[in-house]
Amino acid sequence: MANITKKVSWSSRTDESGAAGEDTPLLNGSEPPRRSRQLSEGDGIFQIGRLSTVDLEEEITSDEDSLRARPKEIPHNEKLLSLKYESLDYDNIENQLFLEEERRMGHMNFRCLEISRWVICGLIGFFTGLVACCIDIVVEILAGYKYKEVKENIEKFTEAGGLSISLLLWAVLNSAFVMVGSIIVAFFEPVAAGSGIPQIKCYLNGIKIPRVVRLKTLLVKVFGVICSVAGGLAVGKEGPMIHSGAVIAAGVSQGRSTSLKRDFKIFEYFRRDTEKRDFVSAGAAAGVSAAFGAPVGGVLFSLEEGASFWNQMLTWRIFFASMISTFTLNFFLSVHHNTPGELSSPGLINFGRFDSETMTYNLYEVPLFIAMGAIGGLLGALFNFLNYWLTIFRIRYVHRPCLQVMEAMLVAAVTAMVSFTMMYFSNDCQPLDSNSSEDYPLQLFCADGEYNSMATVFFNTPEKSVRSLFHNQPGTSSPLTLGLFTLTYFFLACWTYGLAVSAGVFIPSLLIGAAWGRLCGILLASITHSSDSMWADPGKYALIGAAAQLGGIVRMTISLTVIMMEATGNVTYGFPIMLVLITAKIVGDYFVEGLYDIHIKLQSVPFLHWEAPATSHWLTAREVMSSPVTCLNRIEKVGTIVDILSNTSTCHNGFPVVVQVANSDEPAKLCGLILRSQLIVLLKHKVFVELARSRLTMRKLQLKDFRDAYPRFPPIQSIHVSQDERECMMDLTEFMNPTPYTVPEETSLPRVFKLFRALGLRHLVVVNDENKVIGLVTRKDLARYHMGKHGLEELQLAQT
Amino acid sequence: MANITKKVSWSSRTDESGAAGEDTPLLNGSEPPRRSRQLSEGDGIFQIGRLSTVDLEEEITSDEDSLRARPKEIPHNEKLLSLKYESLDYDNIENQLFLEEERRMGHMNFRCLEISRWVICGLIGFFTGLVACCIDIVVEILAGYKYKEVKENIEKFTEAGGLSISLLLWAVLNSAFVMVGSIIVAFFEPVAAGSGIPQIKCYLNGIKIPRVVRLKTLLVKVFGVICSVAGGLAVGKEGPMIHSGAVIAAGVSQGRSTSLKRDFKIFEYFRRDTEKRDFVSAGAAAGVSAAFGAPVGGVLFSLEEGASFWNQMLTWRIFFASMISTFTLNFFLSVHHNTPGELSSPGLINFGRFDSETMTYNLYEVPLFIAMGAIGGLLGALFNFLNYWLTIFRIRYVHRPCLQVMEAMLVAAVTAMVSFTMMYFSNDCQPLDSNSSEDYPLQLFCADGEYNSMATVFFNTPEKSVRSLFHNQPGTSSPLTLGLFTLTYFFLACWTYGLAVSAGVFIPSLLIGAAWGRLCGILLASITHSSDSMWADPGKYALIGAAAQLGGIVRMTISLTVIMMEATGNVTYGFPIMLVLITAKIVGDYFVEGLYDIHIKLQSVPFLHWEAPATSHWLTAREVMSSPVTCLNRIEKVGTIVDILSNTSTCHNGFPVVVQVANSDEPAKLCGLILRSQLIVLLKHKVFVELARSRLTMRKLQLKDFRDAYPRFPPIQSIHVSQDERECMMDLTEFMNPTPYTVPEETSLPRVFKLFRALGLRHLVVVNDENKVIGLVTRKDLARYHMGKHGLEELQLAQT
């Protein structure tokens, strides 16, 4: 039945640890070796694409130059699992320092901490709202300027006949904006490319993506998204808000900026993975909330993407951050729009309000909705499939930053060109209504008092095009216009996603969907020849189509339903939207995965899904774990520790601590677990048994010392240990986690998986029936197994 | 700092197990003894109140008569923890049978199971919607009839002067309805009393509340709620919908009815606690969804109350059930209202749509909202406090069913009387508008063309009163009317909650809040003397007041916000509602717990909260666990097993299986865990080693045999084991869970708690560093510790 395809990886891994094992018993392979200096050269191929992979944050070998060279050596394969990503540690290290600190802290201190958490969430919401507001206003101004210029130019040349000059102006303006946006992304911070949602998904899943929550990333992201939207690309400014919110959260919650070298000495308690990840969830939620005016949708997004263990208070705080974020955005936008204090406007994207009185649906429309969901699923699968091949092409051939910038500029110019051509050859003229919502109505070759209908969708920012498709009166665009627009915009959006610019895919998806949805609505009305108001309103079908297309591409479920409900300010459509999203997901999943998952897979990230693959109960911890394990003694020689940490071929992060045994080959009894980062801090502070005896007055190490070093623990190479000190001993008892979670070796994979995922572990020790360490399970050991077409499959582990 | 108040419980528990321990080593006290026959007599005091406690479902001693006698023996104390509640088992028993079954099942079978889950959720939603629809229509008809009769009578006697006859008619009609509703609850199914939300909270938390998901309970609940709403009590029909949904879910998902003795032979795979609990979550969500037209709110309610581990697919299915539920309700209601197919109406309660265009709020109103939240918190705390004392009074003195029925009838009569008196003495006359929404406008002593304003709130079902408070034009009721109404209704609702009728507290809370909220709005408008439309609309303040009052009473957080948002069909008020709910919760929690938590605590249910109390890290598993543990050998004598299971003083449910040891006092090595229910099935099927040898053709026991016996496993007394059979041996290897989760004895309480809660465990084995069993942690061992006023406190374990 379920058979496993064991690949080269297995043997190569065993070989490596076996070879090392002969020299130093008990000192090998708890995790397969991380990327070493020699291997890192092949990394460059991952430089482009959504997930940049330069591992600087706590990388030991950081040679950036070598990372961008020699792209073709490692065959690109999504059947690989990269070894270079580290996990976040959600498990609390309950060592003696922790217990002492807890004893010192009174009841009141815990209350203060709780209040701090709320304050931080408030701040996260506030700053996220503020950033969203800035992006919105600046984009509005820049895009407004651009369209005004081009419009004047077109009007000038329409009659004179030199419209190619207008085209040139438009293309150059677009390319200029995009060039700026692309340069900062490609050259300064590749991790800021794209929407950032895959990265945040990974982070919330517990994977450390280097530099993803840095201040520099935020700046590049914000500036980049302004440029790419103003540059007229088929992108949205909403996706990047999620990433921005996450960065803001990570920054605010730590009370310092490592980049700016400022430490505000506040919120020091929160300087560890557990707390930081909670706040990043809140930040992502605040980002969604600001982008779509959907605070509940934001909370659900965070939960859907990140939650392992639902915690009521945490969720409530996330909701608070989301609410503050929309509130802040609304307040500042109301000030900007000269109606200060009017707090009822929605988020960044404004779908316009669907009035619940007039807009309604009927039972016999339900099959239509399902059919539209299926169309959305099909188109979404096609989009993802095309983008998948495009991304592989880019990984192979478009990996140099300058090439990336040129591609982005090319796309910008082509977008302008295609749009212009479509407008030029369109003869869909509509009478210019006095209460029309057109921002830049273009007359072109239409009669006076009329405007070019194709221009309403092409000659505008995508957000406004979506809104006009939702709300324009029936008959404002011909079916041909909508069909052509869908076709061209589909390919433009597909080409655009994956460029080295900071931009989201939500709005283009919605726009494509709204266009063909409206087309469906018009066709239906013409088929039924009905003047019934039920069929006559194509806006409703535009909304359903938009949901179907977006669902078909990103495959989000409950959070997307709620986001759409909140963004339209209408709960009536909840049921049809959900139906459509379910259908789109089922149909789409039949062909290919969701866009974000594709990009995560292409980066070989060890992503843990919700559950272990079904039919994997026969796999046990013994088969899954890595072994033998590098263990440390309770009282260990400093030299041994330094050697283990310096060993670049086995760059482990967690070491089981065992009770003193004779130097035998037999496994030893587990008594704790200690992390690389802890050992580094101990070495740095020279917490040696001998020194403690000689200097009785030496300040005792506190948790504060560990927090101060977080998250950029120095590499072992930077710590100088003299030859004398190498002979000293270190007592780990006080610092290790004395009760790590363990599983017996016969435990099935799903059980291990459940424990690992539910508790957010990073290391899980496998013991035999005498409590002796026989293996260690890490994220990669679990992420390796997945459900393929032919049952359970195993991914190869790669050094990339 | 954190000091623990060790109470009598400790010593008494140790004594008991110690005493037993001398006779039979290794056969004691894994869980402290459950209620035995002698002790059960004192139980009667828990018979009334929300949580009925007759433990029939799998109780060994079921003497109902003795349960209703001698109420005063055990001092009622919420500082107790009852031992009679069992846990649900969320852990998957991965024994050999399970693995064999998995191997037999192909890939397709898993897909079929997944589809079945969706079908079941659809059915749950459908039936829940249907039940909600029935309740709504029947209540409408009955209440309509009653009010019409009384109105005609009042109109007849207003001029003639015999209004006391009208009063009598009203009171008698009310009492008659309530009597019927109360009799079926008090005499037939006490667990159907109240809203059922505390019971469902407990069930989702993992506690087995006997009879809570039976068909009989559903029938009594539905019929009871119709009677109590039609009987004019200060109750709502929304809360009970949650319970109804849960019962429907439990029934549908099992594919059989034990009460009706019908087995449809479908969905057999889902006959275990894990799956059933998932479906019950969906049912509860569907109930919320039907009640408030809030599918997202329903999902969040389920998560807030029940989730331990967030699972994307499960949540998505819950959402599906919720959506189907609202959809079904809307469809049938649209048929009932002669607009078939119009699917845009909301749930059971109809707040009316708040139009987002005209209703808005401003920044300077935010402090007002916060102040109203504080008022709500204070009033809610007062409500809960009064109800707390009332409940204790009822537990002491109103425990006989006939007394309960009489109290319910008294309340019904008094409600009519008070309402009548208020209307009688009110001189708040309002002009009868032609487009007024009054269903039963009463003229009473008003001039012609006017109606009595007090009657709009008193002479109507509570739902409709809420709606009129939200939407009536400014000036339709005087401040005095509203003030008097708030005061009287507050006490009426407080008295009503806890009666032996099936009814919810949501609507009365909303009504009280809407009344004083509207009052606030009117006062504000008169203070500011403003004709500005912002202040002039008291409906907005009614909404905020309603949220504040409800939040102050039930203290739900995120789900309540979303329910309010969805019920009003308006996302604009999300932020103020959230602010108000946060304030109400903070203020209320300062004084007293939420209403549901009070009732859960008064029943001494071992409820596990989200996290272990802070500052409890110094407590270890060694101190928390129960020991010594009754262990079984891998191959055990049947006689020993029967004796252990029959021992009523130590009625354990889980037994660690250890490797064969000499009969020494030393603990033995753990090799598995087996449940009482499994042993019972094994005994019933006589799976003895000797018999297997003699009858080689005997059918092998399968998981199906265990599922068929679920959930009402026969008591050990009903299984006949002959003297010969007692000498046989049973091999448990195949049936035990071979890899139960374990913790070392030094593990801190929060770590144990986290593991227990996140994985939904029932038994957690504590082992020493040689993997030998030294203790067992169950729900009661963890629920015992809680944060009191003076740090960590320990609850007493009681036999109640």
Side-chain angles (χ1 to χ4, degrees), chain B residues 390-684:
Chain B
L390 190 62
T391 308
I392 288 187
F393 175 85
R394 281 186 180 135
I395 288 173
R396 293 241 170 92
Y397 304 106
V398 197
H399 42 81
R400 283 177 191 283
C402 50
L403 277 178
Q404 293 174 4
V405 173
M406 280 164 64
E407 195 200 359
M409 287 172 66
L410 178 68
V411 174
V414 168
T415 306
M417 224 128 57
V418 170
S419 310
F420 195 86
T421 318
M422 299 296 280
M423 278 152 51
Y424 189 86
F425 289 107
S426 160
N427 51 7
D428 182 8
C429 293
Q430 302 288 342
L432 193 57
D433 203 355
S434 60
N435 56 9
S436 160
S437 61
E438 298 309 314
D439 287 310
Y440 320 104
L442 271 183
Q443 189 180 348
L444 272 174
F445 306 113
C446 293
D448 284 348
E450 291 191 333
Y451 68 97
N452 186 309
S453 172
M454 189 65 100
T456 57
V457 279
F458 269 123
F459 197 66
N460 216 332
T461 55
E463 285 88 2
K464 288 186 181 144
S465 307
V466 173
R467 196 160 62 218
S468 52
L469 286 175
F470 282 172
H471 291 288
N472 276 358
Q473 289 302 309
T476 40
S477 26
S478 75
L480 184 67
T481 306
L482 289 173
L484 281 174
F485 174 73
T486 306
L487 199 71
T488 47
Y489 209 79
F490 183 88
F491 290 107
L492 280 177
C494 190
W495 191 10
T496 309
Y497 190 78
L499 286 180
V501 293
S502 165
V505 76
F506 265 68
I507 300 298
S509 310
L510 287 172
L511 188 48
I512 298 167
W516 64 254
R518 200 177 169 90
L519 182 62
C520 288
I522 294 173
L523 293 180
L524 274 173
S526 69
I527 289 170
T528 53
H529 296 293
S530 153
S531 62
D532 180 4
S533 72
M534 182 70 68
W535 299 95
D537 184 10
K540 176 168 59 175
Y541 290 96
L543 175 65
I544 297 293
Q549 184 65 58
L550 184 53
I553 290 174
V554 301
R555 311 282 164 77
M556 280 153 65
T557 54
I558 184 168
S559 56
L560 195 54
T561 314
V562 178
I563 288 173
M564 293 292 290
M565 273 164 69
E566 290 189 289
T568 54
N570 188 314
V571 292
T572 318
Y573 285 124
F575 184 70
I577 288 175
M578 193 197 63
L579 266 188
V580 155
L581 287 177
I582 288 184
T583 320
K585 185 171 164 64
I586 292 172
V587 172
D589 278 349
Y590 184 79
F591 297 102
V592 64
E593 278 179 296
L595 189 60
Y596 299 139
D597 294 319
I598 287 177
H599 280 264
I600 288 173
K601 232 181 196 175
L602 281 175
Q603 298 304 325
S604 313
V605 176
F607 194 86
L608 287 189
H609 289 276
W610 294 100
E611 278 170 350
T615 72
S616 62
H617 283 277
W618 57 274
L619 261 177
T620 64
R622 198 188 300 111
E623 289 149 289
V624 167
M625 70 190 186
S626 311
S627 83
V629 186
T630 313
C631 293
L632 296 174
N633 285 318
R634 208 187 251 272
I635 296 176
E636 185 64 89
K637 231 177 86 183
V638 173
T640 318
I641 293 177
V642 173
D643 287 342
I644 289 173
L645 294 184
S646 310
N647 185 346
T648 47
S649 72
T650 60
C651 200
H652 305 323
N653 278 291
F655 305 92
V657 180
V658 294
V659 288
Q660 208 96 26
V661 285
N663 212 358
S664 72
D665 271 2
E666 230 178 56
K669 243 176 217 174
L670 179 72
C671 70
L673 184 81
I674 198 155
L675 301 180
R676 165 184 287 268
S677 58
Q678 292 179 299
L679 291 172
I680 296 258
V681 174
L682 293 181
L683 286 173
K684 206 173 130 201

Side-chain angles (χ1 to χ4, degrees), chain B residues 121-137 241 244-245 248 283 285-291 321-333 347-348:
Chain B
C121 281
L123 290 175
I124 291 169
F126 177 77
F127 287 116
T128 308
L130 209 60
V131 167
C133 184
C134 290
I135 293 179
D136 195 48
I137 293 174
M241 272 316 301
S244 305
I248 291 167
V288 176
S289 170
S322 300
M323 278 290 184
I324 293 281
S325 166
T326 343
F327 183 82
T328 312
L329 176 70
N330 281 345
F331 179 73
F332 284 104
L333 280 188
L348 272 193

Side-chain angles (χ1 to χ4, degrees), chain B residues 682 684-702 734-735:
Chain B
L682 293 181
K684 206 173 130 201
H685 287 86
K686 309 217 179 294
V687 188
F688 307 146
V689 176
E690 286 76 8
L691 292 184
R693 276 179 203 149
S694 59
R695 285 185 285 161
L696 276 171
T697 53
M698 196 176 74
R699 188 177 70 85
K700 210 168 159 304
L701 214 61
Q702 291 188 336
E734 218 177 335
F735 309 103

